[in-house]
Amino acid sequence: MKKILLINLLFLFLFGCSKTEDLISPYHYSIIPKVSNFKLDAIDTTFTGKRRVRMSWELADTSNLRYFEIYRSQKNPDNYKIIVSNYKAFTFSDSALPTISDSLKLYYLVFPIGTKTDSRTGVKVSFVGPPSDTLIVTVKKLK
C-alpha cells in the first residue's frame, strides 16, 4: 500500500504539475484600448459648498468608442456602483459624494463602452472594454 502511494506521489510530482497558462484576453479588449492616465485633477468645493472630486483620463484610440461608464466604491475591490453612464467627455466631476464624517476614501473605475459592426452579420455589437486602473482618492471634510 505504501509503495502504491509513493508511486502515485512520484508520478504527480513528475508529470501532474504543469505551469499554469495565462488567461486569454477577451476579443473586444483588442478593439477598444484600456483607459490610460486616469488621474485626480482636484478635490475642491462647488459653489453650493459640496465637496467635489474632479478627474480625467485618456483613450489612445476612440474609433470604436460609444461612451464611458464611471464607477465608485468605498471599498476596494468590491461593491462598485455605477455613478454615470453614457458619458462622452474625458473629464468628470463627482459632487454627489457620500457623507463625510472626517475623511472618506473613494475608489473610481472608468470603463470604455464600444461598438463595432460584426463583419459576419452586419449588426452593430456593443461591448465593455477593459477597466481603467483604480483611482484612489481621500476626501477630507471641510472644517
mmCIF file of all heavy atoms in Angstrom, residues 15-61:
data_model
loop_
_atom_site.group_PDB
_atom_site.id
_atom_site.type_symbol
_atom_site.label_atom_id
_atom_site.label_comp_id
_atom_site.label_asym_id
_atom_site.label_seq_id
_atom_site.Cartn_x
_atom_site.Cartn_y
_atom_site.Cartn_z
ATOM 1 N N PHE A 15 4.831 14.411 -13.330
ATOM 2 C CA PHE A 15 4.014 14.654 -14.517
ATOM 3 C C PHE A 15 2.717 15.412 -14.256
ATOM 4 O O PHE A 15 2.111 15.930 -15.179
ATOM 5 C CB PHE A 15 3.654 13.299 -15.175
ATOM 6 C CG PHE A 15 4.855 12.479 -15.517
ATOM 7 C CD1 PHE A 15 5.196 11.378 -14.752
ATOM 8 C CD2 PHE A 15 5.650 12.814 -16.592
ATOM 9 C CE1 PHE A 15 6.301 10.610 -15.071
ATOM 10 C CE2 PHE A 15 6.766 12.058 -16.907
ATOM 11 C CZ PHE A 15 7.095 10.954 -16.143
ATOM 12 N N GLY A 16 2.290 15.472 -13.030
ATOM 13 C CA GLY A 16 0.980 16.033 -12.735
ATOM 14 C C GLY A 16 0.944 17.539 -12.609
ATOM 15 O O GLY A 16 -0.081 18.160 -12.791
ATOM 16 N N CYS A 17 2.044 18.148 -12.311
ATOM 17 C CA CYS A 17 2.057 19.590 -12.112
ATOM 18 C C CYS A 17 2.656 20.254 -13.339
ATOM 19 O O CYS A 17 3.745 19.914 -13.769
ATOM 20 C CB CYS A 17 2.887 19.955 -10.878
ATOM 21 S SG CYS A 17 2.231 19.234 -9.369
ATOM 22 N N SER A 18 1.932 21.158 -13.884
ATOM 23 C CA SER A 18 2.461 21.904 -15.021
ATOM 24 C C SER A 18 2.274 23.385 -14.764
ATOM 25 O O SER A 18 1.495 23.790 -13.910
ATOM 26 C CB SER A 18 1.748 21.489 -16.310
ATOM 27 O OG SER A 18 0.371 21.795 -16.221
ATOM 28 N N LYS A 19 2.985 24.177 -15.532
ATOM 29 C CA LYS A 19 2.896 25.631 -15.394
ATOM 30 C C LYS A 19 1.483 26.072 -15.770
ATOM 31 O O LYS A 19 0.908 25.598 -16.749
ATOM 32 C CB LYS A 19 3.919 26.287 -16.322
ATOM 33 C CG LYS A 19 3.927 27.784 -16.241
ATOM 34 C CD LYS A 19 4.962 28.351 -17.194
ATOM 35 C CE LYS A 19 4.856 29.840 -17.179
ATOM 36 N NZ LYS A 19 4.226 30.379 -18.366
ATOM 37 N N THR A 20 0.930 26.973 -14.987
ATOM 38 C CA THR A 20 -0.400 27.471 -15.308
ATOM 39 C C THR A 20 -0.328 28.351 -16.545
ATOM 40 O O THR A 20 0.676 29.031 -16.797
ATOM 41 C CB THR A 20 -0.988 28.296 -14.140
ATOM 42 O OG1 THR A 20 -0.116 29.376 -13.868
ATOM 43 C CG2 THR A 20 -1.169 27.448 -12.903
ATOM 44 N N GLU A 21 -1.382 28.329 -17.320
ATOM 45 C CA GLU A 21 -1.430 29.127 -18.534
ATOM 46 C C GLU A 21 -2.068 30.468 -18.238
ATOM 47 O O GLU A 21 -2.948 30.578 -17.391
ATOM 48 C CB GLU A 21 -2.242 28.392 -19.602
ATOM 49 C CG GLU A 21 -1.591 27.100 -20.052
ATOM 50 C CD GLU A 21 -2.384 26.409 -21.140
ATOM 51 O OE1 GLU A 21 -3.138 27.084 -21.853
ATOM 52 O OE2 GLU A 21 -2.247 25.187 -21.262
ATOM 53 N N ASP A 22 -1.620 31.501 -18.934
ATOM 54 C CA ASP A 22 -2.198 32.828 -18.787
ATOM 55 C C ASP A 22 -3.606 32.838 -19.369
ATOM 56 O O ASP A 22 -3.912 32.116 -20.328
ATOM 57 C CB ASP A 22 -1.353 33.877 -19.516
ATOM 58 C CG ASP A 22 0.004 34.074 -18.860
ATOM 59 O OD1 ASP A 22 0.096 33.843 -17.643
ATOM 60 O OD2 ASP A 22 0.946 34.453 -19.571
ATOM 61 N N LEU A 23 -4.456 33.664 -18.768
ATOM 62 C CA LEU A 23 -5.797 33.810 -19.298
ATOM 63 C C LEU A 23 -5.751 34.559 -20.616
ATOM 64 O O LEU A 23 -4.937 35.465 -20.809
ATOM 65 C CB LEU A 23 -6.681 34.582 -18.314
ATOM 66 C CG LEU A 23 -6.993 33.871 -17.007
ATOM 67 C CD1 LEU A 23 -7.754 34.814 -16.085
ATOM 68 C CD2 LEU A 23 -7.817 32.632 -17.266
ATOM 69 N N ILE A 24 -6.622 34.195 -21.510
ATOM 70 C CA ILE A 24 -6.695 34.869 -22.799
ATOM 71 C C ILE A 24 -7.579 36.100 -22.637
ATOM 72 O O ILE A 24 -8.670 36.025 -22.083
ATOM 73 C CB ILE A 24 -7.294 33.922 -23.867
ATOM 74 C CG1 ILE A 24 -6.387 32.702 -24.026
ATOM 75 C CG2 ILE A 24 -7.491 34.654 -25.178
ATOM 76 C CD1 ILE A 24 -6.984 31.602 -24.863
ATOM 77 N N SER A 25 -7.106 37.247 -23.121
ATOM 78 C CA SER A 25 -7.906 38.471 -23.046
ATOM 79 C C SER A 25 -9.115 38.337 -23.962
ATOM 80 O O SER A 25 -9.015 37.776 -25.054
ATOM 81 C CB SER A 25 -7.092 39.680 -23.493
ATOM 82 O OG SER A 25 -6.102 39.964 -22.558
ATOM 83 N N PRO A 26 -10.256 38.873 -23.534
ATOM 84 C CA PRO A 26 -11.428 38.836 -24.410
ATOM 85 C C PRO A 26 -11.142 39.555 -25.725
ATOM 86 O O PRO A 26 -10.367 40.509 -25.789
ATOM 87 C CB PRO A 26 -12.487 39.590 -23.607
ATOM 88 C CG PRO A 26 -12.041 39.502 -22.191
ATOM 89 C CD PRO A 26 -10.541 39.470 -22.252
ATOM 90 N N TYR A 27 -11.788 39.100 -26.780
ATOM 91 C CA TYR A 27 -11.595 39.641 -28.132
ATOM 92 C C TYR A 27 -11.792 41.152 -28.183
ATOM 93 O O TYR A 27 -11.006 41.868 -28.786
ATOM 94 C CB TYR A 27 -12.574 38.941 -29.080
ATOM 95 C CG TYR A 27 -12.801 39.664 -30.379
ATOM 96 C CD1 TYR A 27 -11.814 39.668 -31.365
ATOM 97 C CD2 TYR A 27 -13.985 40.347 -30.632
ATOM 98 C CE1 TYR A 27 -12.008 40.330 -32.557
ATOM 99 C CE2 TYR A 27 -14.186 41.008 -31.819
ATOM 100 C CZ TYR A 27 -13.195 40.995 -32.787
ATOM 101 O OH TYR A 27 -13.389 41.657 -33.962
ATOM 102 N N HIS A 28 -12.830 41.647 -27.513
ATOM 103 C CA HIS A 28 -13.131 43.075 -27.626
ATOM 104 C C HIS A 28 -12.096 43.954 -26.926
ATOM 105 O O HIS A 28 -12.043 45.139 -27.171
ATOM 106 C CB HIS A 28 -14.537 43.380 -27.124
ATOM 107 C CG HIS A 28 -14.809 42.938 -25.738
ATOM 108 N ND1 HIS A 28 -15.310 41.689 -25.454
ATOM 109 C CD2 HIS A 28 -14.637 43.554 -24.553
ATOM 110 C CE1 HIS A 28 -15.445 41.562 -24.148
ATOM 111 N NE2 HIS A 28 -15.047 42.680 -23.585
ATOM 112 N N TYR A 29 -11.240 43.386 -26.087
ATOM 113 C CA TYR A 29 -10.174 44.178 -25.473
ATOM 114 C C TYR A 29 -9.182 44.648 -26.537
ATOM 115 O O TYR A 29 -8.474 45.619 -26.343
ATOM 116 C CB TYR A 29 -9.453 43.388 -24.395
ATOM 117 C CG TYR A 29 -10.172 43.345 -23.051
ATOM 118 C CD1 TYR A 29 -11.519 43.647 -22.939
ATOM 119 C CD2 TYR A 29 -9.493 42.999 -21.906
ATOM 120 C CE1 TYR A 29 -12.167 43.605 -21.718
ATOM 121 C CE2 TYR A 29 -10.137 42.949 -20.672
ATOM 122 C CZ TYR A 29 -11.470 43.260 -20.590
ATOM 123 O OH TYR A 29 -12.115 43.219 -19.386
ATOM 124 N N SER A 30 -9.119 43.945 -27.672
ATOM 125 C CA SER A 30 -8.230 44.378 -28.751
ATOM 126 C C SER A 30 -8.915 45.407 -29.655
ATOM 127 O O SER A 30 -8.259 46.049 -30.464
ATOM 128 C CB SER A 30 -7.774 43.173 -29.582
ATOM 129 O OG SER A 30 -8.889 42.588 -30.240
ATOM 130 N N ILE A 31 -10.221 45.591 -29.515
ATOM 131 C CA ILE A 31 -10.954 46.550 -30.348
ATOM 132 C C ILE A 31 -10.939 47.934 -29.730
ATOM 133 O O ILE A 31 -10.846 48.930 -30.431
ATOM 134 C CB ILE A 31 -12.412 46.069 -30.555
ATOM 135 C CG1 ILE A 31 -12.407 44.766 -31.342
ATOM 136 C CG2 ILE A 31 -13.232 47.121 -31.274
ATOM 137 C CD1 ILE A 31 -13.753 44.118 -31.443
ATOM 138 N N ILE A 32 -11.051 48.000 -28.423
ATOM 139 C CA ILE A 32 -11.018 49.290 -27.740
ATOM 140 C C ILE A 32 -9.955 49.214 -26.647
ATOM 141 O O ILE A 32 -9.910 48.257 -25.883
ATOM 142 C CB ILE A 32 -12.401 49.672 -27.173
ATOM 143 C CG1 ILE A 32 -12.418 51.131 -26.748
ATOM 144 C CG2 ILE A 32 -12.830 48.777 -26.060
ATOM 145 C CD1 ILE A 32 -13.815 51.691 -26.593
ATOM 146 N N PRO A 33 -9.066 50.198 -26.595
ATOM 147 C CA PRO A 33 -7.977 50.118 -25.623
ATOM 148 C C PRO A 33 -8.435 50.432 -24.205
ATOM 149 O O PRO A 33 -9.527 50.953 -23.979
ATOM 150 C CB PRO A 33 -6.986 51.177 -26.121
ATOM 151 C CG PRO A 33 -7.830 52.153 -26.857
ATOM 152 C CD PRO A 33 -8.971 51.375 -27.449
ATOM 153 N N LYS A 34 -7.558 50.150 -23.279
ATOM 154 C CA LYS A 34 -7.783 50.455 -21.869
ATOM 155 C C LYS A 34 -7.654 51.962 -21.657
ATOM 156 O O LYS A 34 -6.814 52.617 -22.277
ATOM 157 C CB LYS A 34 -6.739 49.712 -21.029
ATOM 158 C CG LYS A 34 -6.836 49.929 -19.554
ATOM 159 C CD LYS A 34 -5.780 49.102 -18.837
ATOM 160 C CE LYS A 34 -5.822 49.361 -17.358
ATOM 161 N NZ LYS A 34 -4.930 48.465 -16.634
ATOM 162 N N VAL A 35 -8.479 52.496 -20.781
ATOM 163 C CA VAL A 35 -8.366 53.901 -20.388
ATOM 164 C C VAL A 35 -6.993 54.090 -19.739
ATOM 165 O O VAL A 35 -6.562 53.269 -18.929
ATOM 166 C CB VAL A 35 -9.491 54.266 -19.391
ATOM 167 C CG1 VAL A 35 -9.225 55.593 -18.719
ATOM 168 C CG2 VAL A 35 -10.839 54.275 -20.102
ATOM 169 N N SER A 36 -6.315 55.151 -20.110
ATOM 170 C CA SER A 36 -4.987 55.404 -19.549
ATOM 171 C C SER A 36 -4.939 56.776 -18.887
ATOM 172 O O SER A 36 -5.836 57.597 -19.058
ATOM 173 C CB SER A 36 -3.922 55.323 -20.650
ATOM 174 O OG SER A 36 -4.165 56.316 -21.628
ATOM 175 N N ASN A 37 -3.897 56.994 -18.125
ATOM 176 C CA ASN A 37 -3.650 58.266 -17.457
ATOM 177 C C ASN A 37 -4.872 58.727 -16.651
ATOM 178 O O ASN A 37 -5.211 59.911 -16.651
ATOM 179 C CB ASN A 37 -3.225 59.331 -18.471
ATOM 180 C CG ASN A 37 -2.490 60.475 -17.818
ATOM 181 O OD1 ASN A 37 -1.922 60.332 -16.737
ATOM 182 N ND2 ASN A 37 -2.506 61.623 -18.461
ATOM 183 N N PHE A 38 -5.521 57.787 -15.984
ATOM 184 C CA PHE A 38 -6.677 58.100 -15.134
ATOM 185 C C PHE A 38 -6.134 58.753 -13.873
ATOM 186 O O PHE A 38 -5.380 58.140 -13.122
ATOM 187 C CB PHE A 38 -7.435 56.822 -14.823
ATOM 188 C CG PHE A 38 -8.718 57.014 -14.064
ATOM 189 C CD1 PHE A 38 -9.486 58.150 -14.203
ATOM 190 C CD2 PHE A 38 -9.175 56.023 -13.217
ATOM 191 C CE1 PHE A 38 -10.676 58.318 -13.518
ATOM 192 C CE2 PHE A 38 -10.369 56.163 -12.530
ATOM 193 C CZ PHE A 38 -11.118 57.315 -12.679
ATOM 194 N N LYS A 39 -6.485 60.025 -13.656
ATOM 195 C CA LYS A 39 -5.859 60.763 -12.565
ATOM 196 C C LYS A 39 -6.829 61.730 -11.895
ATOM 197 O O LYS A 39 -7.837 62.131 -12.473
ATOM 198 C CB LYS A 39 -4.648 61.536 -13.081
ATOM 199 C CG LYS A 39 -5.021 62.595 -14.084
ATOM 200 C CD LYS A 39 -3.810 63.303 -14.620
ATOM 201 C CE LYS A 39 -4.292 64.347 -15.621
ATOM 202 N NZ LYS A 39 -3.292 65.112 -16.215
ATOM 203 N N LEU A 40 -6.461 62.094 -10.692
ATOM 204 C CA LEU A 40 -7.172 63.094 -9.921
ATOM 205 C C LEU A 40 -6.698 64.463 -10.374
ATOM 206 O O LEU A 40 -5.500 64.735 -10.386
ATOM 207 C CB LEU A 40 -6.898 62.900 -8.431
ATOM 208 C CG LEU A 40 -7.459 63.948 -7.489
ATOM 209 C CD1 LEU A 40 -8.979 63.880 -7.469
ATOM 210 C CD2 LEU A 40 -6.888 63.749 -6.094
ATOM 211 N N ASP A 41 -7.631 65.325 -10.750
ATOM 212 C CA ASP A 41 -7.280 66.695 -11.126
ATOM 213 C C ASP A 41 -7.381 67.631 -9.930
ATOM 214 O O ASP A 41 -6.554 68.516 -9.766
ATOM 215 C CB ASP A 41 -8.170 67.193 -12.267
ATOM 216 C CG ASP A 41 -7.866 66.471 -13.568
ATOM 217 O OD1 ASP A 41 -6.730 66.005 -13.754
ATOM 218 O OD2 ASP A 41 -8.780 66.348 -14.417
ATOM 219 N N ALA A 42 -8.417 67.440 -9.096
ATOM 220 C CA ALA A 42 -8.568 68.315 -7.924
ATOM 221 C C ALA A 42 -9.644 67.767 -7.003
ATOM 222 O O ALA A 42 -10.548 67.054 -7.428
ATOM 223 C CB ALA A 42 -8.940 69.729 -8.352
ATOM 224 N N ILE A 43 -9.514 68.126 -5.742
ATOM 225 C CA ILE A 43 -10.598 67.962 -4.770
ATOM 226 C C ILE A 43 -10.914 69.379 -4.324
ATOM 227 O O ILE A 43 -10.069 70.066 -3.770
ATOM 228 C CB ILE A 43 -10.182 67.098 -3.570
ATOM 229 C CG1 ILE A 43 -9.799 65.690 -4.035
ATOM 230 C CG2 ILE A 43 -11.310 67.035 -2.545
ATOM 231 C CD1 ILE A 43 -9.221 64.819 -2.941
ATOM 232 N N ASP A 44 -12.115 69.826 -4.619
ATOM 233 C CA ASP A 44 -12.475 71.198 -4.281
ATOM 234 C C ASP A 44 -13.926 71.254 -3.818
ATOM 235 O O ASP A 44 -14.498 70.233 -3.441
ATOM 236 C CB ASP A 44 -12.206 72.137 -5.460
ATOM 237 C CG ASP A 44 -12.929 71.727 -6.731
ATOM 238 O OD1 ASP A 44 -13.853 70.890 -6.669
ATOM 239 O OD2 ASP A 44 -12.585 72.254 -7.799
ATOM 240 N N THR A 45 -14.509 72.423 -3.863
ATOM 241 C CA THR A 45 -15.861 72.634 -3.370
ATOM 242 C C THR A 45 -16.694 73.310 -4.455
ATOM 243 O O THR A 45 -16.206 74.203 -5.151
ATOM 244 C CB THR A 45 -15.819 73.540 -2.122
ATOM 245 O OG1 THR A 45 -14.905 72.965 -1.188
ATOM 246 C CG2 THR A 45 -17.173 73.662 -1.464
ATOM 247 N N THR A 46 -17.941 72.871 -4.591
ATOM 248 C CA THR A 46 -18.846 73.501 -5.549
ATOM 249 C C THR A 46 -19.299 74.849 -5.005
ATOM 250 O O THR A 46 -19.073 75.175 -3.839
ATOM 251 C CB THR A 46 -20.087 72.625 -5.804
ATOM 252 O OG1 THR A 46 -20.844 72.551 -4.596
ATOM 253 C CG2 THR A 46 -19.713 71.234 -6.267
ATOM 254 N N PHE A 47 -19.989 75.620 -5.828
ATOM 255 C CA PHE A 47 -20.465 76.938 -5.362
ATOM 256 C C PHE A 47 -21.538 76.814 -4.288
ATOM 257 O O PHE A 47 -21.828 77.766 -3.588
ATOM 258 C CB PHE A 47 -20.946 77.803 -6.540
ATOM 259 C CG PHE A 47 -22.175 77.291 -7.220
ATOM 260 C CD1 PHE A 47 -23.438 77.728 -6.824
ATOM 261 C CD2 PHE A 47 -22.087 76.373 -8.254
ATOM 262 C CE1 PHE A 47 -24.572 77.250 -7.442
ATOM 263 C CE2 PHE A 47 -23.227 75.896 -8.877
ATOM 264 C CZ PHE A 47 -24.471 76.337 -8.469
ATOM 265 N N THR A 48 -22.114 75.617 -4.121
ATOM 266 C CA THR A 48 -23.101 75.403 -3.055
ATOM 267 C C THR A 48 -22.463 74.832 -1.788
ATOM 268 O O THR A 48 -23.157 74.520 -0.837
ATOM 269 C CB THR A 48 -24.222 74.455 -3.528
ATOM 270 O OG1 THR A 48 -23.639 73.194 -3.873
ATOM 271 C CG2 THR A 48 -24.996 75.039 -4.695
ATOM 272 N N GLY A 49 -21.131 74.669 -1.789
ATOM 273 C CA GLY A 49 -20.432 74.198 -0.597
ATOM 274 C C GLY A 49 -20.249 72.693 -0.500
ATOM 275 O O GLY A 49 -19.752 72.199 0.510
ATOM 276 N N LYS A 50 -20.618 71.930 -1.538
ATOM 277 C CA LYS A 50 -20.424 70.481 -1.520
ATOM 278 C C LYS A 50 -19.002 70.142 -1.954
ATOM 279 O O LYS A 50 -18.418 70.823 -2.792
ATOM 280 C CB LYS A 50 -21.409 69.810 -2.486
ATOM 281 C CG LYS A 50 -22.856 69.939 -2.078
ATOM 282 C CD LYS A 50 -23.767 69.449 -3.173
ATOM 283 C CE LYS A 50 -24.106 68.005 -2.963
ATOM 284 N NZ LYS A 50 -25.036 67.488 -3.964
ATOM 285 N N ARG A 51 -18.449 69.076 -1.361
ATOM 286 C CA ARG A 51 -17.128 68.595 -1.770
ATOM 287 C C ARG A 51 -17.248 67.972 -3.160
ATOM 288 O O ARG A 51 -18.264 67.368 -3.508
ATOM 289 C CB ARG A 51 -16.583 67.580 -0.773
ATOM 290 C CG ARG A 51 -16.355 68.147 0.608
ATOM 291 C CD ARG A 51 -15.324 69.247 0.639
ATOM 292 N NE ARG A 51 -13.994 68.652 0.688
ATOM 293 C CZ ARG A 51 -12.895 69.262 0.271
ATOM 294 N NH1 ARG A 51 -12.951 70.459 -0.230
ATOM 295 N NH2 ARG A 51 -11.735 68.667 0.359
ATOM 296 N N ARG A 52 -16.189 68.117 -3.953
ATOM 297 C CA ARG A 52 -16.215 67.636 -5.336
ATOM 298 C C ARG A 52 -14.861 67.020 -5.684
ATOM 299 O O ARG A 52 -13.812 67.561 -5.329
ATOM 300 C CB ARG A 52 -16.520 68.803 -6.266
ATOM 301 C CG ARG A 52 -16.432 68.467 -7.733
ATOM 302 C CD ARG A 52 -16.843 69.612 -8.619
ATOM 303 N NE ARG A 52 -16.032 70.805 -8.359
ATOM 304 C CZ ARG A 52 -16.294 71.991 -8.890
ATOM 305 N NH1 ARG A 52 -17.350 72.164 -9.659
ATOM 306 N NH2 ARG A 52 -15.518 73.018 -8.628
ATOM 307 N N VAL A 53 -14.917 65.900 -6.406
ATOM 308 C CA VAL A 53 -13.720 65.224 -6.897
ATOM 309 C C VAL A 53 -13.717 65.380 -8.420
ATOM 310 O O VAL A 53 -14.661 64.966 -9.091
ATOM 311 C CB VAL A 53 -13.722 63.722 -6.523
ATOM 312 C CG1 VAL A 53 -12.532 63.011 -7.132
ATOM 313 C CG2 VAL A 53 -13.747 63.547 -5.015
ATOM 314 N N ARG A 54 -12.651 65.997 -8.939
ATOM 315 C CA ARG A 54 -12.524 66.177 -10.391
ATOM 316 C C ARG A 54 -11.419 65.266 -10.907
ATOM 317 O O ARG A 54 -10.326 65.228 -10.342
ATOM 318 C CB ARG A 54 -12.234 67.633 -10.738
ATOM 319 C CG ARG A 54 -13.413 68.534 -10.391
ATOM 320 C CD ARG A 54 -13.245 69.960 -10.879
ATOM 321 N NE ARG A 54 -12.096 70.588 -10.252
ATOM 322 C CZ ARG A 54 -11.273 71.429 -10.870
ATOM 323 N NH1 ARG A 54 -11.454 71.741 -12.119
ATOM 324 N NH2 ARG A 54 -10.262 71.964 -10.217
ATOM 325 N N MET A 55 -11.711 64.523 -11.978
ATOM 326 C CA MET A 55 -10.777 63.545 -12.526
ATOM 327 C C MET A 55 -10.768 63.618 -14.048
ATOM 328 O O MET A 55 -11.685 64.181 -14.650
ATOM 329 C CB MET A 55 -11.153 62.144 -12.053
ATOM 330 C CG MET A 55 -12.550 61.719 -12.470
ATOM 331 S SD MET A 55 -13.250 60.384 -11.502
ATOM 332 C CE MET A 55 -13.905 61.269 -10.115
ATOM 333 N N SER A 56 -9.734 63.041 -14.642
ATOM 334 C CA SER A 56 -9.643 62.996 -16.101
ATOM 335 C C SER A 56 -8.915 61.722 -16.522
ATOM 336 O O SER A 56 -8.283 61.056 -15.709
ATOM 337 C CB SER A 56 -8.910 64.230 -16.628
ATOM 338 O OG SER A 56 -7.580 64.256 -16.159
ATOM 339 N N TRP A 57 -9.003 61.403 -17.819
ATOM 340 C CA TRP A 57 -8.371 60.217 -18.369
ATOM 341 C C TRP A 57 -8.173 60.402 -19.864
ATOM 342 O O TRP A 57 -8.625 61.379 -20.454
ATOM 343 C CB TRP A 57 -9.207 58.960 -18.082
ATOM 344 C CG TRP A 57 -10.606 59.042 -18.608
ATOM 345 C CD1 TRP A 57 -11.047 58.665 -19.854
ATOM 346 C CD2 TRP A 57 -11.747 59.564 -17.931
ATOM 347 N NE1 TRP A 57 -12.387 58.926 -19.975
ATOM 348 C CE2 TRP A 57 -12.842 59.470 -18.801
ATOM 349 C CE3 TRP A 57 -11.952 60.101 -16.663
ATOM 350 C CZ2 TRP A 57 -14.115 59.890 -18.447
ATOM 351 C CZ3 TRP A 57 -13.226 60.511 -16.321
ATOM 352 C CH2 TRP A 57 -14.286 60.394 -17.199
ATOM 353 N N GLU A 58 -7.504 59.428 -20.475
ATOM 354 C CA GLU A 58 -7.241 59.438 -21.911
ATOM 355 C C GLU A 58 -7.586 58.071 -22.486
ATOM 356 O O GLU A 58 -7.661 57.082 -21.763
ATOM 357 C CB GLU A 58 -5.757 59.743 -22.175
ATOM 358 C CG GLU A 58 -5.321 61.105 -21.687
ATOM 359 C CD GLU A 58 -3.819 61.319 -21.780
ATOM 360 O OE1 GLU A 58 -3.090 60.412 -22.256
ATOM 361 O OE2 GLU A 58 -3.371 62.395 -21.362
ATOM 362 N N LEU A 59 -7.772 58.045 -23.802
ATOM 363 C CA LEU A 59 -8.004 56.796 -24.529
ATOM 364 C C LEU A 59 -7.231 56.906 -25.836
ATOM 365 O O LEU A 59 -7.453 57.850 -26.604
ATOM 366 C CB LEU A 59 -9.499 56.583 -24.783
ATOM 367 C CG LEU A 59 -9.923 55.194 -25.234
ATOM 368 C CD1 LEU A 59 -9.676 54.175 -24.126
ATOM 369 C CD2 LEU A 59 -11.377 55.176 -25.625
ATOM 370 N N ALA A 60 -6.319 55.972 -26.065
ATOM 371 C CA ALA A 60 -5.415 56.064 -27.207
ATOM 372 C C ALA A 60 -6.143 56.049 -28.554
ATOM 373 O O ALA A 60 -5.759 56.746 -29.482
ATOM 374 C CB ALA A 60 -4.394 54.926 -27.145
ATOM 375 N N ASP A 61 -7.193 55.256 -28.665
ATOM 376 C CA ASP A 61 -7.920 55.140 -29.934
ATOM 377 C C ASP A 61 -9.410 55.223 -29.641
ATOM 378 O O ASP A 61 -9.959 54.382 -28.934
ATOM 379 C CB ASP A 61 -7.576 53.813 -30.607
ATOM 380 C CG ASP A 61 -8.307 53.587 -31.914
ATOM 381 O OD1 ASP A 61 -8.988 54.512 -32.409
ATOM 382 O OD2 ASP A 61 -8.195 52.469 -32.462
#
